[in-house]
Amino acid sequence: MPKSLQAQHHNLADKATQLKILSNGIFADGQLPTFKEKIEPLNEYPLKPTSIEIFQVNVGYMCNQVCKHCHVDAGPDRKEIMTRETMQQCLDILRKTKIHTLDLTGGAPEMNPDFRWFVEEANKTGVEEIIVRSNLTIILANPKYHDLPEFFKKNKVRVVSSLPFYQADKTDRQRGEGVFDKSIEALKMLNAVGYGKAGSGLNLDLVYNPSGAFLPGDQAGLEREFKKELKEHFDIDFNSLFTITNIPISRFLEFLIRTENYEDYMDSLVSAFNPAAVKGVMCRNTISVDYDGHMYDCDFNQMLGLKVDKKAGQHISEFDLEKLENRNIIINQHCYGCTAGAGSSCQGTVA
Amino acid sequence: MEKTYYNPADLKKFGDIADFEPELAKKFFDYYNDVFKEGALTAREKALIALAVSHTVQCPYCIDAYTAGTMEMGVTEKQMMEAVHVAAAIRGGASLVHGVQMMNKVKKLSM
């Protein structure tokens, strides 16, 4: 199994190096406008939040997969993990605010030993929705995870699963040999307990992201294809397909640079810039929390070490809803990824 | 004159043809955009046809654009290559079917 950039001691494991690449070169020499320059004429700079509705908590970077595009640089060699104490601080925030969604991500969030405790306790806070971003294969990775579908069902968790394609070759190329077959098996287990079935109230959504240096196509069209193919060949049902643009950071940035696609890809993102998507970017209603309790405008800023505006308080121990809702969102050139075409967010397209 | 006839960066300048003749360019681009809208054929089917035709007319700009375009639509590599074979079959077939003319002529001239 390949190693994370961090375990390889790759220079792109360093957040400052990534930021330097994103800020210099084609953006510094004026070939392409910076994201700030692009949104300034739209009166969207500084970018401001609308409200905080989604609390996205990254419970650790450990994962059983090492996907080629992973913006987290997750893998079995990553040991960063959220403690129960930090989870408790998150729960306290959910209790005292009107945040309606807890969005759990990783790595493979299920690998955090306190994951189940966290989900059960979160349900007691009255939060309306708990999402788990599952890579699917974790369900089969070890007998101790086999009952996850039942656990999700019992706790009314919405499952959002990565499946980059409905055929094995592209999926395995991006996520590792054998991942597709295991994902299909896991989807069948989720379907078996009612996930994705009409009328069950158990939501199973899939996430598509392009398997290379190109943008995602029309979400509705791809959803139709995925539904038809997965039903016909594997008798699998799911609710919605979310198309997500690959963001040029971490391992995807490494791929872009190594394959000499970086400049063309950034150019496509800038050319496809959609002002309407700026209105719906996820950082406007989301706070992203890392395993250590620090807060970011989104999961991508988390991976670049760009914490929320200092004036708003940067750790959940200083959580202040009013300050956070009035902060300036930190932006950089990777933000073009969320505003290209129909836009991109953890819930799919935004425009 | 450029040292090469084709420069990938020129694809992005396609819209610039309007600089020399805006009215006809507008008509062309309006027509072009309408052609590729969902209709009796899906946008995906149209993109695959475009990919095949691009190979027949041997337009590197079109091949570049419709390779990326079909990939974005989730078309598989196998489907893309089958489309290229369709173009090749028609192209090859078009040459071969003219062989009948050649044969007709041979038969006419021969004793």
Side-chain angles (χ1 to χ4, degrees), chain A residues 165-167 170 173 214-215 217 222 267, chain B residues 12 38 44 71-77:
Chain A
F165 207 59
Y166 50 74
Q167 288 179 352
K170 278 191 191 178
R173 260 186 276 154
F214 54 95
L215 306 186
L222 281 165
D267 190 71
Chain B
K12 281 183 287 181
E38 294 265 344
R44 199 171 189 271
M71 286 176 88
E72 285 174 7
M73 289 174 181
V75 176
T76 65
E77 285 99 333

Coordinates of all heavy atoms in Angstrom, one line a residue, chain A residues 165-167 170 173 214-215 217 222 267, chain B residues 12 38 44 71-77:
Chain A
F165 N -16.5 6.0 -9.3 CA -17.1 5.5 -10.5 C -17.9 4.2 -10.3 O -17.7 3.5 -9.4 CB -16.0 5.3 -11.6 CG -16.5 5.5 -13.0 CD1 -17.1 6.7 -13.4 CD2 -16.5 4.5 -13.9 CE1 -17.6 6.9 -14.7 CE2 -17.0 4.7 -15.2 CZ -17.5 5.9 -15.6
Y166 N -18.8 3.9 -11.3 CA -19.6 2.7 -11.2 C -18.9 1.5 -11.8 O -19.6 0.5 -12.0 CB -21.0 3.0 -11.8 CG -21.0 3.6 -13.2 CD1 -20.7 2.8 -14.3 CD2 -21.3 4.9 -13.4 CE1 -20.7 3.3 -15.5 CE2 -21.3 5.5 -14.6 CZ -21.0 4.7 -15.7 OH -21.0 5.2 -17.0
Q167 N -17.7 1.7 -12.2 CA -16.9 0.5 -12.7 C -15.6 0.4 -11.9 O -15.1 1.4 -11.4 CB -16.6 0.7 -14.2 CG -17.8 0.5 -15.1 CD -17.5 0.8 -16.6 OE1 -16.4 1.2 -16.9 NE2 -18.5 0.5 -17.4
K170 N -11.7 2.5 -13.0 CA -11.4 3.9 -12.6 C -11.4 4.0 -11.0 O -10.6 4.8 -10.5 CB -12.5 4.8 -13.1 CG -12.3 5.3 -14.5 CD -13.2 6.4 -14.9 CE -13.1 6.6 -16.4 NZ -14.0 7.7 -16.9
R173 N -8.1 2.5 -9.7 CA -7.0 3.3 -10.1 C -6.8 4.5 -9.1 O -5.8 4.9 -8.7 CB -7.1 3.9 -11.5 CG -6.3 3.0 -12.5 CD -6.3 3.7 -13.8 NE -7.5 3.3 -14.6 CZ -8.1 4.0 -15.5 NH1 -7.6 5.2 -15.9 NH2 -9.2 3.6 -16.1
F214 N -9.6 16.8 -14.5 CA -10.7 17.4 -15.3 C -11.8 17.7 -14.3 O -11.8 17.1 -13.2 CB -11.1 16.5 -16.5 CG -11.5 15.1 -16.1 CD1 -12.8 14.7 -15.9 CD2 -10.5 14.1 -16.0 CE1 -13.1 13.4 -15.5 CE2 -10.8 12.8 -15.7 CZ -12.1 12.5 -15.5
L215 N -12.7 18.5 -14.7 CA -13.8 18.9 -13.9 C -15.0 17.9 -13.9 O -15.1 17.2 -14.9 CB -14.3 20.3 -14.3 CG -13.3 21.4 -14.4 CD1 -13.9 22.7 -14.6 CD2 -12.4 21.5 -13.1
G217 N -18.7 16.6 -14.5 CA -19.8 16.9 -15.4 C -21.0 17.2 -14.7 O -21.1 17.3 -13.4
L222 N -24.8 12.6 -14.3 CA -24.0 11.5 -13.7 C -24.8 10.7 -12.7 O -24.6 9.5 -12.6 CB -22.8 12.1 -13.0 CG -21.6 12.5 -14.0 CD1 -20.7 13.4 -13.3 CD2 -20.9 11.3 -14.5
D267 N -6.0 26.7 -14.8 CA -6.6 27.5 -15.9 C -8.1 27.1 -16.1 O -9.0 28.0 -16.3 CB -5.8 27.4 -17.1 CG -6.2 28.4 -18.2 OD1 -5.9 29.6 -18.0 OD2 -6.8 28.0 -19.2
Chain B
K12 N -8.3 28.0 -26.4 CA -9.0 28.9 -25.5 C -9.3 30.2 -26.2 O -10.1 31.0 -25.8 CB -8.1 29.3 -24.3 CG -8.1 28.2 -23.2 CD -7.2 28.6 -22.0 CE -5.8 28.5 -22.4 NZ -4.9 28.9 -21.3
E38 N -29.2 19.4 -24.5 CA -30.0 18.1 -24.5 C -31.2 18.2 -25.4 O -31.9 19.2 -25.5 CB -30.5 17.9 -23.1 CG -29.5 17.7 -22.0 CD -29.2 16.2 -21.7 OE1 -30.0 15.3 -22.1 OE2 -28.2 15.9 -21.1
R44 N -24.6 13.7 -23.5 CA -23.5 12.7 -23.5 C -23.4 12.1 -24.9 O -22.3 11.9 -25.4 CB -23.9 11.7 -22.4 CG -22.8 10.8 -21.9 CD -23.4 10.0 -20.7 NE -22.4 9.3 -20.0 CZ -22.1 8.1 -20.3 NH1 -22.6 7.4 -21.4 NH2 -21.1 7.4 -19.6
M71 N -14.8 12.9 -20.8 CA -14.4 12.4 -19.4 C -15.2 13.1 -18.3 O -15.6 12.4 -17.4 CB -12.9 12.7 -19.3 CG -12.0 11.8 -20.1 SD -10.2 12.3 -19.9 CE -9.8 11.3 -18.4
E72 N -15.4 14.4 -18.5 CA -16.2 15.1 -17.5 C -17.6 14.5 -17.3 O -18.2 14.4 -16.3 CB -16.4 16.5 -17.8 CG -15.1 17.3 -17.6 CD -15.2 18.8 -18.1 OE1 -16.2 19.2 -18.5 OE2 -14.1 19.4 -18.1
M73 N -18.1 13.9 -18.4 CA -19.5 13.4 -18.4 C -19.5 11.9 -17.9 O -20.5 11.3 -17.9 CB -20.1 13.4 -19.8 CG -20.5 14.9 -20.2 SD -21.0 14.9 -21.9 CE -21.3 16.6 -22.0
G74 N -18.3 11.4 -17.5 CA -18.3 10.1 -17.0 C -18.2 9.0 -18.1 O -18.5 7.8 -17.8
V75 N -17.9 9.4 -19.3 CA -17.8 8.4 -20.4 C -16.6 7.6 -20.1 O -15.5 8.1 -19.8 CB -17.7 9.1 -21.8 CG1 -17.5 8.1 -22.9 CG2 -19.0 9.9 -22.0
T76 N -16.6 6.3 -20.3 CA -15.5 5.4 -20.0 C -14.5 5.4 -21.2 O -14.9 5.7 -22.3 CB -15.9 4.0 -19.8 OG1 -16.5 3.4 -21.0 CG2 -17.0 3.9 -18.7
E77 N -13.3 5.0 -20.9 CA -12.2 5.0 -21.9 C -12.6 4.0 -23.1 O -12.4 4.3 -24.2 CB -10.9 4.5 -21.4 CG -10.2 5.6 -20.5 CD -10.4 5.4 -19.1 OE1 -11.4 4.8 -18.7 OE2 -9.5 5.8 -18.3

